[in-house]
Amino acid sequence: MAKIDTAGPLLLTQVVSPAGYGKTTFLSQYAAHVAAQDSNVTVAWFSLESSDNEENQFFRLISAAMAHLNIVSWTSLQSSNNANSQMLDNFSQDILDALIKYSRPVVFIFDDFHHIRSRRILQFVEELLSIKATGLHLLLGSRVTPNMNIGHLIVSGTALQLETSDLRFSRTQVQELLGEIMNEEDLNAFYERSEGWPVAAQLASIWYRQRPQSNYRDIVAGSSEMLNRYLEEQVFSSLADETQEIILGICFLERFSAQQVDYMLQRDNSLEILQPLFTDYALLLPINEAQFSFRFHHLFASFLQKKALQTYGSHFIRDMRLRASSWYVIQDEVLEAVNQAIKADRPEHAIELIKQGGGWQIVMTKGIGIAESLVNQFSTDIISSSVTLSLLKSYLAIKFGQLYASLEYFELARQLVEGIEPGNDLHKDVHTIDVLLSTYRSEEMSLARIKECQALIGTLQEDDYVRHATLLAFVVISFNHIGEFKKAEHYARQAITQMQLGQCQVGVNYLLIHCGLSLLYRGFLDEAKDIFTRSEDMSKQLFGLDTGLKYMSQAGMALVFYQQNQQEEASRALGSCLPVLESMDCWVELYIVCYQAAIDIALLNNNVTQAREHIERGLIVARKRRFTVLRQYLNISALKVAVLTNELPDSVLPWEGLLKQEDAIVHWSIRLTLANALCLYFYKKHFLSKACEYAEYSCQESHNIHAPFEFAYSQGLKCVCLHGQGHSEQACSTAITLLEQVHTHNLVQVLMLLPDAFEGIIGQIRNHYWHECSPMVRQLIEIYRAQKSERSAVRHQNALVLSHREFQLAELLCEGLSNKAIANQLGISENTVKFHLKKLFKKLCVNKRAQAITLLLNTGLVTQRLQ
């Protein structure tokens, strides 16, 4: 302690030595020392064991401790249960952020850190040492030096390592302890043989007092032999038979409570009997302040385990572990129960426990992190030979976005279940996971598949709530997929009730998002906003530093903001949720929602590069997860971007053919996006009758599925096509109807997406049909014109970053010079002029010379350049 106190401010202290050198004793004394010096210091103690090397388990331990100390909320512990291994980086960063915000000095003590070998956990500890937290000091007790990169801390003097040489007793200390009972010769010989091993000196003192005629050679004939002899003769043998029986029965447990011991050994007085071990020998250590849980000193536990094996045999240890497993089942601690069953070499029993706990449903009822920790305890061979584990692994792979792996494990389960009698619940599990896989692949989303799923629901027991709700969720997603939004909402509410009956809050949270989407598509934006807000709040309250549910809720909220013309809020929400969703579990519907909003916002801001980046990012996700529907949507979006930027393909016959094929495109948004893109293509090609045909198709489709946002946009395209054909009166009449609908549903954003020609229609309405417009429509027109003007100016000023050559051409173009005259003045060929003008027109998003000149003069670009 003096070394630490005189070293100055320390970030890290490592206490490294073999067993028996008093690491735990020192760390506990230092914790008391710090607390006595400053009552404002927060001390967190972690007693590590081998199971804590599993990453999810370690972060659950961290969460529990930090919640107990009020550094984070208790919901963070639930969050760690639901954070899968792919999300632990984000989760650990949230923990670090909480520590940075914490105002009190923090001392973290990790005892028995040698159990930690995981690279990710070690990296977290390294990151912990790099943050700027108030008075942070980390102490590690370990039998080996941890494999961490801390050279910079040593150089800066903020890391200290206490080793065996610091902890061993000096010759003087051994003299103080043994001088009265050993002569000088024996003392020197003892010190040489024991090398200052503290536990040897302590035991020698007790040994000599009890056996004055002993020879020091008997004591140090071997450190482990001497220790075992002492524990056998002076500790264990002196205990009552009843105490011996109890401690041999529980010696294999890493930790235990008196209630657990009572259950395992069928007693009711275990705490009373074990108390002397704690008070007299310090061989039984309390793990928490309330002394509810205990563990044996490692040296004593090692002795007892050998003793139990010699006395009763391996069958006894196995039976005791199975009793411990039963205790954990009663406590609803499935992870601990399975862990004990595996240590008892009963993997088949462990698998049965997982099956009884819900099998694949554990992912939703207990959390992704717990489920992952469970399967991590089994070898690949065991997983591959078990239907329960294969299905659990398959569902976990879905949650990690690993569709290939999920399919592989599912096929294993499908083959294994063929050997099991029909009617077994495992058959229902296989059918359910098959449905889930269809959901995530966005395949077989049809009325026939929905009916098949509903028939499967009819075979379930009434109280099979979670499986029932999971299959209903497929029905919900399918109805949303094909455009039956009202039915989707109806079944979503049914599924929420089933999840609530099954006490599966994760499932409730998911289904709220599905319900919100169905409301959003039907134009009930305020109701959808309330649902997504409720979903996000629920995610934060239940799962804390969370999981993907928060980001899925934000994705739905982003689309609400987008449709309500709140671009900045939509962009912020997308910027937060989209990168997370791209790296984790998500169903295809939500990806389409996000990319649709992100691409359109980029196009509205004239940021074509960003729109294409979103498409490329989405295609990576589609390839990685085999999302054929997402790939189809993004390819159509690429066509839309090309058309809007005047990069018109020579032919769109394949796209037209795809739209005309019956049932070739199931997803409603893909049908409408393609029809609208084809409408714009033919409009820009001046094939106005063809453009009007696709606008009419889109209007009819969006009307059939009761999607007001899409219907309004299709109506707007129809207006533009009619106006282009010279049917101005009909175009204006249709536009007024459109404006009334936009006002009713608060869909101003639709107007912003329409081609610039719609401004001309608005101008005609103001000039010739103003008297026919309601006050609300008039107000909406003025809002549209103001926003269009503002966005146009900002868009052009932000987007028009012209090269030096393009500025030269722009100036000469505005002076009215021909291509030949420009070529002569700049000393370049006429073909080069045409090449640069083509690039300039593309940047300006125009295709005519007069349009370019008007835009350049109106935005002031040429004037600014000349000045």
Side-chain angles (χ1 to χ4, degrees):
M1 281 193 278
K3 276 199 171 186
I4 294 177
D5 288 343
T6 58
L10 289 172
L11 282 171
L12 172 67
T13 299
Q14 296 186 132
V15 188
V16 182
S17 71
Y21 276 87
K23 294 183 295 297
T24 301
T25 301
F26 163 68
L27 291 172
S28 62
Q29 288 179 349
Y30 182 74
H33 170 68
V34 169
Q37 281 189 325
D38 186 354
S39 60
N40 196 42
V41 172
T42 296
V43 180
W45 181 290
F46 302 88
S47 293
L48 300 174
E49 54 195 60
S50 57
S51 62
D52 296 324
N53 189 55
E54 202 273 335
E55 292 162 4
N56 300 56
Q57 173 75 2
F58 178 84
F59 283 102
R60 281 194 294 275
L61 180 68
I62 293 286
S63 299
M66 291 179 64
H68 177 73
L69 297 168
N70 295 319
I71 299 174
V72 297
S73 67
W74 279 103
T75 53
S76 68
L77 181 57
Q78 184 66 32
S79 174
S80 65
N81 290 342
N82 286 278
N84 65 55
S85 57
Q86 293 184 339
M87 296 170 59
L88 286 178
D89 289 341
N90 290 333
F91 180 74
S92 64
Q93 186 57 53
D94 287 335
I95 291 176
L96 297 175
D97 290 342
L99 280 170
I100 292 170
K101 295 175 184 176
Y102 191 62
S103 59
R104 296 171 59 182
V106 181
V107 175
F108 276 1
I109 300 175
F110 289 94
D111 196 16
D112 293 324
F113 196 75
H114 50 269
H115 289 301
I116 302 301
R117 300 176 303 279
S118 162
R119 187 62 239 163
R120 173 174 276 173
I121 296 176
L122 293 173
Q123 285 175 345
F124 167 76
V125 176
E126 290 173 5
E127 290 169 3
L128 181 61
L129 292 166
S130 67
I131 65 173
K132 294 182 179 179
T134 304
L136 177 66
H137 185 190
L138 184 63
L139 291 97
L140 309 179
S142 178
R143 295 183 186 177
V144 295
T145 302
N147 183 23
M148 296 191 301
N149 299 315
I150 59 168
H152 62 292
L153 299 179
I154 295 172
V155 171
S156 65
T158 55
L160 174 68
Q161 179 149 318
L162 301 176
E163 300 175 332
T164 304
S165 58
D166 297 296
L167 298 174
R168 66 162 52 104
F169 283 177
S170 66
R171 173 64 174 74
T172 303
Q173 290 170 324
V174 172
Q175 171 77 35
E176 291 175 3
L177 190 64
L178 303 177
E180 294 183 3
I181 54 179
M182 277 190 185
N183 60 45
E184 192 72 16
E185 182 181 354
D186 285 353
L187 194 64
N188 290 334
F190 172 82
Y191 183 71
E192 184 179 346
R193 290 291 300 275
S194 67
E195 297 181 332
W197 189 35
V199 75
Q202 294 285 2
L203 293 178
S205 174
I206 300 172
W207 188 279
Y208 257 98
R209 295 180 192 282
Q210 295 172 345
R211 295 188 173 191
Q213 305 305 316
S214 296
N215 187 294
Y216 78 91
R217 291 181 180 84
D218 295 332
I219 303 172
V220 292
S223 56
S224 60
E225 179 186 343
M226 179 201 71
L227 179 61
N228 287 335
R229 283 178 62 192
Y230 171 78
L231 293 173
E232 171 73 38
E233 298 179 18
Q234 301 302 318
V235 177
F236 187 76
S237 297
S238 66
L239 299 175
D241 292 344
E242 193 176 30
T243 306
Q244 292 181 11
E245 180 185 343
I246 290 177
I247 62 177
L248 287 179
I250 61 173
C251 63
F252 57 87
L253 293 174
E254 289 81 5
R255 60 184 180 277
F256 50 86
S257 66
Q259 290 89 338
Q260 182 179 3
V261 178
D262 283 341
Y263 171 85
M264 291 173 57
L265 302 178
Q266 299 180 344
R267 312 182 61 90
D268 60 6
N269 61 344
S270 299
L271 184 59
E272 178 185 340
I273 294 172
L274 292 173
Q275 192 68 29
L277 288 176
F278 172 61
T279 56
D280 296 342
Y281 294 97
L283 296 176
L284 188 64
L285 308 174
I287 289 179
N288 51 25
E289 294 172 3
Q291 298 188 9
F292 177 78
S293 296
F294 303 89
R295 70 173 176 85
F296 288 114
H297 190 285
H298 296 306
L299 296 174
F300 193 39
S302 179
F303 160 77
L304 290 174
Q305 288 163 12
K306 292 177 184 176
K307 182 74 176 176
L309 193 60
Q310 293 168 358
T311 306
Y312 299 117
S314 58
H315 291 289
F316 170 78
I317 300 294
R318 190 173 299 136
D319 291 343
M320 287 295 103
R321 284 199 181 277
L322 290 176
R323 288 190 194 181
S325 179
S326 298
W327 162 260
Y328 286 122
V329 169
I330 294 171
Q331 303 304 310
D332 196 29
E333 295 184 28
V334 64
L335 183 58
E336 295 290 349
V338 167
N339 181 264
Q340 290 299 329
I342 289 175
K343 288 180 177 178
D345 196 25
R346 288 290 184 268
E348 68 286 350
H349 180 65
I351 294 170
E352 184 61 28
L353 291 175
I354 292 175
K355 182 180 175 184
Q356 292 172 6
W360 59 270
Q361 298 179 23
I362 288 174
V363 174
M364 291 192 292
T365 56
K366 298 293 184 184
I368 297 173
I370 294 286
E372 190 176 14
S373 294
L374 282 171
V375 294
N376 283 347
Q377 298 187 67
F378 295 91
S379 67
T380 303
D381 290 341
I382 292 177
I383 293 172
S384 301
S385 61
S386 163
V387 178
T388 298
L389 294 181
S390 294
L391 288 175
L392 179 55
K393 192 75 174 175
S394 177
Y395 192 31
L396 277 173
I398 290 176
K399 292 296 181 184
F400 300 159
Q402 300 167 350
L403 209 58
Y404 288 100
S406 180
L407 287 167
E408 288 177 6
Y409 283 110
F410 174 73
E411 286 304 320
L412 279 173
R414 193 204 295 271
Q415 294 168 18
L416 291 167
V417 84
E418 290 175 358
I420 299 174
E421 71 279 2
N424 189 291
D425 279 350
L426 289 175
H427 284 277
K428 295 177 183 177
D429 285 332
V430 168
H431 287 311
T432 304
I433 297 298
D434 188 22
V435 169
L436 283 168
L437 278 166
S438 296
T439 304
Y440 278 84
R441 286 179 296 177
S442 300
E443 295 176 357
E444 304 175 40
M445 298 287 191
S446 63
L447 289 172
R449 183 65 166 163
I450 291 172
K451 289 178 180 177
E452 181 185 333
C453 189
Q454 289 172 325
L456 179 57
I457 290 171
T459 67
L460 302 179
Q461 297 292 328
E462 187 176 343
D463 61 352
D464 197 352
Y465 303 120
V466 175
R467 189 185 280 111
H468 193 152
T470 303
L471 292 170
L472 276 176
F474 170 79
V475 174
V476 173
I477 293 173
S478 297
F479 276 130
N480 270 336
H481 193 88
I482 63 177
E484 297 276 4
F485 308 131
K486 193 169 184 179
K487 289 181 180 178
E489 182 196 350
H490 170 73
Y491 285 106
R493 296 191 184 279
Q494 279 191 19
I496 287 171
T497 301
Q498 290 292 315
M499 285 294 187
Q500 288 171 334
L501 289 170
Q503 297 182 341
C504 180
Q505 297 304 310
V506 174
V508 172
N509 216 162
Y510 272 107
L511 283 157
L512 282 173
I513 298 168
H514 293 308
C515 186
L517 285 175
S518 64
L519 287 166
L520 172 69
Y521 295 148
R522 290 162 57 209
F524 299 111
L525 299 186
D526 290 335
E527 291 89 337
K529 191 173 184 179
D530 289 342
I531 290 279
F532 291 133
T533 301
R534 177 184 164 192
S535 174
E536 185 173 359
D537 289 344
M538 181 180 181
S539 171
K540 291 175 181 176
Q541 290 167 7
L542 291 177
F543 314 123
L545 301 174
D546 186 349
T547 78
L549 287 165
K550 176 174 66 178
Y551 300 103
M552 293 178 190
S553 304
Q554 287 179 0
M557 191 66 80
L559 197 60
V560 172
F561 288 139
Y562 164 73
Q563 291 197 6
Q564 290 183 334
N565 198 31
Q566 300 177 45
Q567 280 194 41
E568 289 185 9
E569 290 85 348
S571 296
R572 272 198 299 270
L574 287 170
S576 171
C577 70
L578 191 51
V580 178
L581 297 182
E582 287 173 333
S583 65
M584 56 163 290
D585 154 52
C586 190
W587 62 95
V588 74
E589 186 82 22
L590 215 54
Y591 284 119
I592 291 176
V593 164
C594 288
Y595 287 123
Q596 177 192 20
I599 291 166
D600 283 348
I601 289 173
L603 290 173
L604 281 170
N605 294 325
N606 206 38
N607 195 334
V608 178
T609 300
Q610 188 178 67
R612 289 190 171 122
E613 285 175 356
H614 285 308
I615 292 172
E616 286 304 313
R617 284 170 56 179
L619 287 172
I620 291 171
V621 172
R623 285 194 296 270
K624 185 177 174 182
R625 308 196 183 178
R626 299 173 71 179
F627 285 161
T628 53
V629 173
L630 180 60
R631 184 172 65 250
Q632 194 177 47
Y633 171 77
L634 290 166
N635 285 334
I636 292 169
S637 295
L639 171 67
K640 179 177 77 172
V641 171
V643 170
L644 289 173
T645 55
N646 297 315
E647 295 180 0
L648 304 179
D650 295 332
S651 172
V652 289
L653 281 175
W655 293 112
E656 290 187 274
L658 183 64
L659 195 61
K660 290 174 182 177
Q661 290 178 26
E662 191 172 350
D663 295 331
I665 301 177
V666 177
H667 195 281
W668 64 272
S669 181
I670 295 178
R671 294 199 307 273
L672 293 176
T673 302
L674 179 54
N676 293 333
L678 291 172
C679 172
L680 288 168
Y681 172 82
F682 287 112
Y683 174 78
K684 293 203 171 189
K685 284 281 191 178
H686 303 291
F687 299 144
L688 297 177
S689 59
K690 192 83 168 174
C692 219
E693 177 186 328
Y694 281 108
E696 191 61 49
Y697 170 90
S698 190
C699 285
Q700 190 61 49
E701 283 285 310
S702 54
H703 179 266
N704 290 342
I705 64 174
H706 307 288
F709 187 90
E710 284 70 22
F711 180 71
Y713 180 69
S714 304
Q715 285 281 85
L717 291 181
K718 183 179 177 181
C719 291
V720 170
C721 293
L722 288 170
H723 187 261
Q725 289 178 310
H727 305 307
S728 297
E729 184 175 347
Q730 187 179 354
C732 290
S733 174
T734 305
I736 291 172
T737 303
L738 163 64
L739 290 167
E740 290 172 350
Q741 181 190 3
V742 166
H743 178 267
T744 300
H745 292 282
N746 189 22
L747 299 175
V748 181
Q749 182 69 22
V750 169
L751 305 180
M752 300 299 118
L753 295 170
L754 292 172
D756 291 339
F758 189 73
E759 289 185 74
I761 299 173
I762 293 295
Q764 287 195 349
I765 291 174
R766 293 183 81 254
N767 293 333
H768 305 291
Y769 302 96
W770 197 243
H771 62 284
E772 297 181 15
C773 298
S774 67
M776 296 299 183
V777 169
R778 293 179 185 180
Q779 183 182 11
L780 181 61
I781 287 174
E782 295 307 317
I783 291 172
Y784 164 75
R785 293 179 71 233
Q787 288 195 15
K788 194 74 175 177
S789 176
E790 179 184 347
R791 291 187 182 190
S792 178
V794 171
R795 185 174 73 239
H796 290 305
Q797 287 177 4
N798 290 342
L800 297 181
V801 180
L802 305 184
S803 68
H804 175 69
R805 178 66 78 188
E806 287 166 345
F807 267 123
Q808 287 180 315
L809 262 72
E811 292 165 7
L812 297 174
L813 193 67
C814 290
E815 291 176 15
L817 272 64
S818 66
N819 288 355
K820 186 174 182 180
I822 293 173
N824 291 334
Q825 185 150 339
L826 296 179
I828 56 179
S829 70
E830 193 170 347
N831 284 336
T832 302
V833 171
K834 291 178 181 179
F835 171 76
H836 284 299
L837 283 177
K838 185 177 180 181
K839 288 177 63 180
L840 178 62
F841 286 5
K842 181 181 175 182
K843 280 190 178 181
L844 299 174
C845 293
V846 298
N847 49 24
K848 293 182 179 179
R849 204 178 190 90
Q851 292 174 332
I853 293 171
T854 301
L855 183 60
L856 288 165
L857 292 174
N858 287 345
T859 58
L861 282 170
V862 171
T863 306
Q864 292 168 15
R865 172 69 174 175
L866 291 172
Q867 289 173 348

